[in-house]
Amino acid sequence: MRTWVRRGGLSTLVFLLPLLVIFGVFSWLPIVRAALMSVQQTNLVTAPEFVGLENFESVLADPLFWTAVQNTGLFALIALVFGYPLPLVLAVLMSEVRRFRGLFSAIAYLPVVVPPVVAVLMWKFFYDARPDGVFNTILGWVGLGPYQWLQSADTALPSLVLEATWAAAGGTVIIYLAALIGVPAELYDAADVDGASIWRKIWHVTLPQLRGVLLVTLILQIIGTSQVFLEPFLFTGGGPANSTLSVLLLIYNYAFGSSLGGDYGAATALSLMLAVFLAALSAVYFWLTRSWSTS
């Protein structure tokens, strides 16, 4: 004990104590409280009643649960297919620009600065389904549209993905630009000597050097899109016909959707199910890519 104190263990613990208390109160305590509520029937006013796994059973039996899972998975898939490569393409193009690179970086990052609610309201105005709406007017110049956008079950979810990609791409572009600075210039010089085209340099030099960053941003995007809430909540409220109902929005509806009192047990049960799924997905992902990230 004395040796531990002399080596600075006590002073280290004193400095860590405020962080541990804050982390415990605001992180671990809510997790423990949620785990307890998931096996209780409670309205946060009267005494809770232990119900075991009934909350999980009721969530799994709810048809809206599977609708929300399907919509969330589709949202994540569309965002991954179209939204994941876009920041990388923009970063590579901007890294090749010799002039006004700072200006282009600022423009790319600008959507991140816009408050999320303001961005949604702005895009909601753009998505006006009338023929003289902003997007319908622009598409009308080339003979397309008008489209219903948020009013149609076929186009509502892709419309949400488009706005979410625009709002989040700027931060990822900056990350890729910073990573591109660390790519050794001699690798590109060697590729030039070999007569490699720009596409071959990207495929054989840029992408292998960014592999670690790409893996991290991939899992972060999967986790982020699996927890989509703001866009369905503000754009459509889960409609039309539940076509944009997400898992997180369903959790919100369980807890706060009824004026007579929320089903907090079902809400916390579904929250834990989502947390376990994302933790398992992350574990499997890192296990499958452990050799890639270290090579």
Side-chain angles (χ1 to χ4, degrees), residues 61 67 92 151 154 183 194 197 221 238 241 277:
T67 300
V92 171
Q151 283 70 38
D154 296 328
V183 178
D194 292 338
S197 63
Q221 176 158 346
F277 168 76

Side-chain angles (χ1 to χ4, degrees), residues 76-116:
L77 178 62
I78 298 175
L80 192 64
V81 171
F82 296 100
Y84 182 69
L86 180 62
L88 179 61
V89 173
L90 292 176
V92 171
L93 292 177
M94 291 167 58
S95 66
E96 296 295 325
V97 175
R98 303 304 178 188
R99 299 180 59 186
F100 306 113
R101 183 181 299 177
L103 176 61
F104 292 137
S105 300
I107 293 175
Y109 193 74
L110 185 61
V112 182
V113 181
V114 179

Side-chain angles (χ1 to χ4, degrees), residues 1-275:
M1 183 67 178
R2 292 181 179 179
T3 303
W4 177 74
V5 173
R6 285 197 301 267
R7 290 180 176 178
L10 181 60
S11 59
T12 302
L13 180 60
V14 171
F15 279 109
L16 285 176
L17 189 59
L19 178 62
L20 294 176
V21 171
I22 293 174
F23 187 77
V25 171
F26 293 100
S27 293
W28 285 108
L29 185 60
I31 293 175
V32 173
R33 178 60 176 154
L36 290 175
M37 290 177 61
S38 67
V39 293
Q40 295 174 339
Q41 184 68 38
T42 178
N43 58 4
L44 302 181
V45 178
T46 60
E49 177 186 354
F50 179 79
V51 295
L53 300 178
E54 289 184 11
N55 289 323
F56 295 91
E57 294 172 355
S58 65
V59 168
L60 292 175
D62 186 357
L64 290 179
F65 167 74
W66 300 107
T67 300
V69 170
Q70 180 181 354
N71 292 338
T72 304
L74 185 58
F75 183 97
L77 178 62
I78 298 175
L80 192 64
V81 171
F82 296 100
Y84 182 69
L86 180 62
L88 179 61
V89 173
L90 292 176
V92 171
L93 292 177
M94 291 167 58
S95 66
E96 296 295 325
V97 175
R98 303 304 178 188
R99 299 180 59 186
F100 306 113
R101 183 181 299 177
L103 176 61
F104 292 137
S105 300
I107 293 175
Y109 193 74
L110 185 61
V112 182
V113 181
V114 179
V117 176
V118 175
V120 169
L121 293 177
M122 180 179 65
W123 278 72
K124 202 170 185 177
F125 172 75
F126 293 161
Y127 281 140
D128 190 341
R130 293 175 298 181
D132 57 348
V134 176
F135 284 160
N136 281 334
T137 299
I138 295 174
L139 293 176
W141 296 341
V142 293
L144 298 176
Y147 297 102
Q148 292 300 306
W149 303 111
L150 302 175
Q151 283 70 38
S152 171
D154 296 328
T155 58
L157 193 65
S159 299
L160 268 58
V161 173
L162 180 61
E163 187 278 335
T165 300
W166 171 86
T172 310
V173 168
I174 300 301
I175 294 175
Y176 287 151
L177 282 174
L180 286 170
I181 295 176
V183 178
E186 53 268 21
L187 295 179
Y188 291 110
D189 294 337
D192 289 332
V193 172
D194 292 338
S197 63
I198 180 65
W199 301 112
R200 288 188 175 274
K201 287 192 288 185
I202 292 174
W203 185 257
H204 294 288
V205 178
T206 303
L207 292 182
Q209 292 296 314
L210 298 183
R211 182 165 52 188
V213 178
L214 291 171
L215 291 175
V216 172
T217 55
L218 176 62
I219 188 61
L220 289 178
Q221 176 158 346
I222 294 175
I223 293 175
T225 52
S226 299
Q227 301 179 84
V228 59
F229 170 77
L230 182 68
E231 286 79 12
F233 179 69
L234 292 180
F235 270 121
T236 61
N242 294 319
S243 62
T244 59
L245 179 68
S246 66
V247 173
L248 229 58
L249 183 57
L250 183 59
I251 294 173
Y252 175 87
N253 290 338
Y254 279 151
F256 308 108
S258 174
S259 59
L260 301 178
D263 190 351
Y264 298 104
T268 52
L270 183 51
S271 299
L272 286 181
M273 292 166 61
L274 177 61

